[in-house]
Structure formats: C-alpha cells, structure tokens
Amino acid sequence: MNKKIILSGIQPSGILTLGNYLGALKNWVKIQTEYDCKFFIADLHAITVHQDPSVLRENTKKTIMQYIACGIDPEINTIFAQSHVHEHAELGWILNCHTYMGELSRMTQFKDKSHKQVNVGVGLFDYPVLMAADILLYNSDYVPVGEDQRQHLEITRDIAQRFNSTYGKEVFKIPEAFIPETGARIMSLQDPTKKMSKSDSNPMGYISLLDDRDTIIKKFKKAVTDSENVVRYSDEQPGIKNLINIYSAITGKSYTDIEKEFQGVGYGKFKVAVGEVVADELDIIQQKYNKLNSPEYNSYITEILNKGAEEAHKIAETKLNEVYDAVGFLNKL
Ligand code: TYM
C-alpha cells in the first residue's frame, strides 16, 4: 500500500526551542512510521535574515543532530538539506511568476519580521513562495507544522490550485496542514502574547532544547503569569494557559485533568512541575545529542545528508520536469 507523503522542515537559524519541539518535531516522531516522511533543514529560508556563514554551517549540522536526538529515524525517513536539492530554488522561481504581490503582503509573519529590519530583503517577502516550492515538489499530502505556519500552507494551496487551473493539468497535489491539538502555539515565557521563538533577544523567553535542567527550572520559575494564583485554562490567564499547554503536550494529560491535579496549589509549585517534566524529556534528547555531537559521528551525519539529497533529488527532478513541460519550456535534447 502506498503511504501518504509527509514533508516538513525547520530553519537552522539557532538551537531549536521547545516551541519547535512541541509544535513540530514531537509530532513528526509520532507519525514517522505511518507515512512516507521527508524532513529537511530549511537553510535557504534561514538566509532571508543575515546569518554568519560559519555559524549557519554549524547550526545546520546541529539541527540534523537535534532531529535525530528527538527521535527522527534516519533509516526510515528522508533527511536532507534544502540547499542540496537545487530544484527547490528553481521551482521557487516558476512559482514566483504565479504569485501576486498582494497575497504575499498579507502574510502576518512577513509583517512581523519586516518590522524588525531596517532594510527588508526581497527574500523575506518571497519566503512563502519558496516554502510552497518545498511542499509541492514532493507531492506532499500533509505538512506537519505549528499554528504559525497555517497561513503559509493556505497560500501554498492557492498557488498550486492557480497553477493547475492555468495550465489545465493536475501538476500539483493540493497539500493539507497537519497541526497538533496541543503544542501548536507555544508562547514566550516572558510575554505570553508572543510566540516562543529562537530569535528572541531575551533567552528567558524561550527554552532551548539544549538548556540544562537548572536553567529550564529557573526559566519556568520566572515565567510571567498573573496574580490570580488559580491553575485554570483560560484566555484571561495567557501565561498559565501557556504553561498548561506545555504540560499537556509533554505528558499527554487533558487540560481538565491538569486543572484538577493542581487545584489549590500555588503557581510556584505548578511552574516547577512544568519545568521538571520538560527537563526530564529534554534530558533524554540531550544525552542522544551529546553522543551525536562528537567527531566520530561526523561522517554518519554526512552520509545521512548525502543519501537524503539523492533520494529527494530524484523526486524533485521528476516534478520539476513536469512543471517545465507544463509552462512550455523546450525539452533539453
Ligand atoms: P521555523 O523554523 O520557524 O519553525 C519550525 C517548526 O516549528 C514550529 N514552531 C512552533 N510551534 C509551536 N509553538 C511555537 N512557538 C513555534 N515556533 C515554531 C513551526 O510552526 C514549524 O513547524 N517556514 C518554516 C520552515 C519551512 C517549512 C517548509 C515547513 C520551510 N519550508 C515547508 C514546512 C514545509 C519555518 O520557518 O519554520
């Protein structure tokens, strides 16, 4: 039986956060045996804001190690770097010619990120089109991402439908977002109205997957909450709601069970309890990561990437040829 196709990626723009883990990676691990999965490192996307070249190279390797340490099995999944498969950039160009300025201007992530820049790069504006290319190259059925990527999935579907109807052919499969029920939107620990992000200038706002136990507990203890002192899942208590979400995504417990578990318990104890379950889960990941992050595993990582790029390229090449044919490019003889 043909398995449905899953594709997703993460930008190597720093050490991954608890948001990346709960919104994406933990979910990928759960579904990896059921689907035909392709997980890549979005290094082309990372340079939409300036990256120091040597840091980018390091972060790319570290991101792959974090994928594997979190439980992504390289034996059963295709793992590759986006820049190793040139068809991503090429399809990105074709799709640029089928995307409107107006629709890209409406992307909330562009609006947020461009406010933080003095000179806004064209790549930042065009970012969702490259993301559409990533997804459409592989006939993806589902794209497991956090809530913040929903709008990018919608524009991908619009571009694919427009392309298919322009050329009167079903060149692209129309993908669907696959967003987890809990953990899809983890907020900053310092400002629960903003999403947790690896590019936050205040490290107290996020939990890095590589933070040690003491740092994790300290960050949770200092998490911004309210003065109600009641552990309740409510929009009026965004800080506590965020902590309940995290606890639920880690333990699998429902919100009501969590409310019962911490009834009559002050925020202090609750925060430490959240910190402890997070630290326990990350401890296992860090042990695997530390093992992989040693010179003897260098060639192992390179092999995974080479094999992944080869597998991905075969699929991407076939799709790009179909696209070139549909738009009317001459065959290369
Ligand atoms: P990136 O690198 O910003 O985030 C990677 C994944 O982590 C999820 N995520 C979160 N989930 C919950 N709470 C948070 N605070 C949080 N922060 C991040 C994101 O939703 C995402 O799933 N554009 C993508 C990378 C990309 C991609 C793709 C993804 C490029 N091409 C094609 C899927 C398919 C991005 O910047 O993710």
Side-chain angles (χ1 to χ4, degrees):
M1 199 185 74
N2 276 349
K3 287 181 171 176
K4 294 268 188 200
I5 299 167
I6 289 265
L7 173 124
S8 203
I10 298 183
Q11 294 188 63
S13 45
I15 299 301
L16 305 189
T17 68
L18 188 62
N20 298 130
Y21 178 63
L22 297 178
L25 270 162
K26 193 172 164 77
N27 207 18
W28 300 359
V29 173
K30 282 190 202 144
I31 57 181
Q32 62 180 337
T33 51
E34 212 181 311
Y35 296 94
D36 172 2
C37 298
K38 294 158 205 332
F39 297 122
F40 69 99
I41 316 289
D43 51 0
L44 296 177
H45 276 101
I47 61 159
T48 52
V49 292
H50 177 71
Q51 305 287 329
D52 177 300
S54 57
V55 176
L56 178 61
R57 255 186 287 277
E58 270 311 295
N59 279 341
T60 302
K61 278 195 237 148
K62 286 181 179 169
T63 306
I64 300 156
M65 291 176 207
Q66 286 169 85
Y67 280 12
I68 301 170
C70 286
I72 299 296
D73 182 351
E75 294 295 319
I76 58 170
N77 301 296
T78 302
I79 301 175
F80 63 101
Q82 190 184 25
S83 63
H84 288 179
V85 184
H86 58 80
E87 286 84 358
H88 288 246
E90 291 174 53
L91 181 59
W93 172 253
I94 305 284
L95 298 184
N96 270 332
C97 302
H98 297 81
T99 307
Y100 304 130
M101 301 283 284
E103 44 188 1
L104 288 179
S105 322
R106 286 193 290 275
M107 295 293 112
T108 47
Q109 205 169 74
F110 170 70
K111 289 190 218 162
D112 289 351
K113 286 195 180 174
S114 57
H115 275 309
K116 294 177 197 151
Q117 318 273 325
V118 185
N119 288 315
V120 180
V122 176
L124 195 61
F125 184 65
D126 197 30
Y127 173 118
V129 181
L130 180 60
M131 182 159 163
D134 302 336
I135 296 167
L136 299 176
L137 269 178
Y138 298 94
N139 299 315
S140 313
D141 291 285
Y142 302 112
V143 183
V145 283
E147 187 60 49
D148 62 326
Q149 299 297 324
R150 189 188 286 279
Q151 209 186 16
H152 293 158
L153 255 296
E154 277 160 16
I155 195 174
T156 299
R157 291 164 59 88
D158 291 345
I159 296 169
Q161 272 154 351
R162 182 177 309 135
F163 188 97
N164 288 350
S165 75
T166 303
Y167 298 102
K169 288 182 187 171
E170 293 302 299
V171 176
F172 294 128
K173 196 186 267 182
I174 311 300
E176 275 176 48
F178 192 2
I179 296 178
E181 274 170 33
T182 49
R185 194 164 173 75
I186 302 300
M187 310 309 279
S188 156
L189 298 181
Q190 288 300 306
D191 178 357
T193 62
K194 282 203 305 212
K195 86 168 183 183
M196 183 181 282
S197 162
K198 49 182 157 351
S199 55
D200 191 337
S201 55
N202 177 6
M204 292 302 284
Y206 61 87
I207 301 289
S208 149
L209 289 196
L210 303 182
D211 277 344
D212 61 35
R213 176 170 286 268
D214 288 349
T215 308
I216 295 171
I217 309 271
K218 187 173 86 195
K219 287 184 180 179
F220 277 107
K221 274 186 179 165
K222 296 231 159 105
V224 170
T225 47
D226 49 74
S227 52
E228 295 216 9
N229 221 22
V230 181
V231 177
R232 187 176 45 212
Y233 193 82
S234 128
D235 286 340
E236 277 105 67
Q237 293 170 251
I240 287 296
K241 181 178 168 190
N242 189 35
L243 298 186
I244 296 180
N245 249 323
I246 293 172
Y247 193 76
S248 168
I250 297 270
T251 61
K253 293 179 184 170
S254 71
Y255 303 146
T256 31
D257 283 348
I258 297 168
E259 284 172 349
K260 274 189 215 140
E261 185 178 341
F262 293 98
Q263 206 170 23
V265 171
Y267 284 173
K269 277 199 177 153
F270 176 54
K271 286 179 175 177
V272 171
V274 182
E276 274 172 355
V277 292
V278 170
D280 287 347
E281 183 134 338
L282 297 193
D283 183 45
I284 302 165
I285 293 171
Q286 288 170 13
Q287 283 179 31
K288 287 197 214 155
Y289 175 84
N290 291 336
K291 206 170 137 196
L292 288 168
N293 191 23
S294 65
E296 57 184 301
Y297 280 93
N298 253 338
S299 59
Y300 172 67
I301 300 294
T302 311
E303 273 166 37
I304 291 171
L305 282 180
N306 288 347
K307 183 170 146 272
E310 213 176 293
E311 285 170 14
H313 168 68
K314 274 191 204 141
I315 306 166
E317 187 181 37
T318 307
K319 180 55 70 180
L320 191 68
N321 283 338
E322 244 181 276
V323 171
Y324 276 19
D325 187 59
V327 299
F329 292 162
L330 265 185
N331 281 337
K332 202 164 85 187
L333 296 172

